Amino acid sequence: MSRSLRRGAAAALVLAAIVPLSACAAGNDADTLQIKPDNAATSIGNEVKLNNIVVVAPEGSAGEYSGPVAVTANIANTAPKDDLVLTSVKVGGTAATLTDENGAKVSEITIKAGQSVLLGGKEGAAGAQVSGAKLSVGGYADTTFTFKTAGEVSTPANVQPAAGLYQGFGPQAKAATSPTAGATSSPGASSPSPGAATGSPSAPASGSPSASAH
């Protein structure tokens, strides 16, 4: 082997040794590596897409937690003509209270064909809140969504405190008003975005924490 080739091989070996050491020095936690957790996504056939499913506990919650939580999710109705009617959301085996954009309790939430609805978050959005859940913040909790004709689908969802990306998405302290008999909600919906971007629960925003649709 020529002297120049030997020098090149030695330099490659030194570089290979330095790179892993640098990575270890930076740390392996998600913040250091700029890795954001994937949020749950699921679907029912080709007509219902659910993305950005996150269970949000109050700000400051950590570890084992018992109390109210909210569910945020982007639900898209990709059917060509039929309305999609959400009748139930559960965390574990506990049913959530559904509310309309005004915070009033409703028995169901309607999503028009070809549109999507974001549950939770800012004022003016429909919501799903469980008054008493037992779960682990930072872990996962089973969520179940039931639709009038489309059926039921379940998936584990990440549990996060209402801070950072999830600020404003936690359970609301203000009690919802009593539901009107047979009341339903048909919140202002947008065109479906089953592939909402990862990083934030707000569906319209780029960089939102969504998993891609299945």
Side-chain angles (χ1 to χ4, degrees):
M1 180 183 294
S2 71
R3 183 176 300 174
S4 61
L5 287 176
R6 285 198 298 269
R7 284 200 299 267
L13 288 173
V14 171
L15 181 60
I18 290 173
V19 171
L21 290 175
S22 300
C24 291
N28 293 320
D29 58 280
D31 288 340
T32 301
L33 300 176
Q34 296 298 303
I35 296 172
K36 301 191 186 306
D38 289 333
N39 292 327
T42 188
S43 62
I44 300 177
N46 295 318
E47 299 183 348
V48 184
K49 307 292 182 184
L50 297 96
N51 289 287
N52 306 329
I53 307 169
V54 181
V55 177
V56 187
E59 185 174 4
S61 302
E64 297 305 313
Y65 167 79
S66 296
V69 294
V71 178
T72 180
N74 181 272
I75 306 175
N77 179 5
T78 53
K81 60 180 181 179
D82 296 329
D83 288 347
L84 180 66
V85 181
L86 176 68
T87 58
S88 172
V89 176
K90 291 181 180 179
V91 176
T94 306
T97 297
L98 302 180
T99 55
D100 65 12
E101 60 273 22
N102 298 313
K105 294 180 183 179
V106 293
S107 59
E108 57 191 37
I109 295 172
T110 300
I111 304 152
K112 299 294 185 181
Q115 296 185 336
S116 66
V117 163
L118 174 67
L119 286 182
K122 314 301 180 185
E123 288 187 14
Q129 182 167 315
V130 173
S131 59
K134 292 184 179 181
L135 38 72
S136 178
V137 178
Y140 289 83
D142 289 332
T143 58
T144 302
F145 297 80
T146 304
F147 300 90
K148 184 172 286 186
T149 58
E152 180 177 286
V153 64
S154 298
T155 186
N158 192 227
V159 182
Q160 293 289 331
L165 296 172
Y166 304 99
Q167 186 73 46
F169 284 81
Q172 303 300 309
K174 184 179 71 174
T177 57
S178 298
T180 304
T184 64
S185 172
S186 183
S190 59
S191 297
S193 53
T198 302
S200 160
S202 176
S206 178
S208 68
S210 88
S212 54
H214 298 301

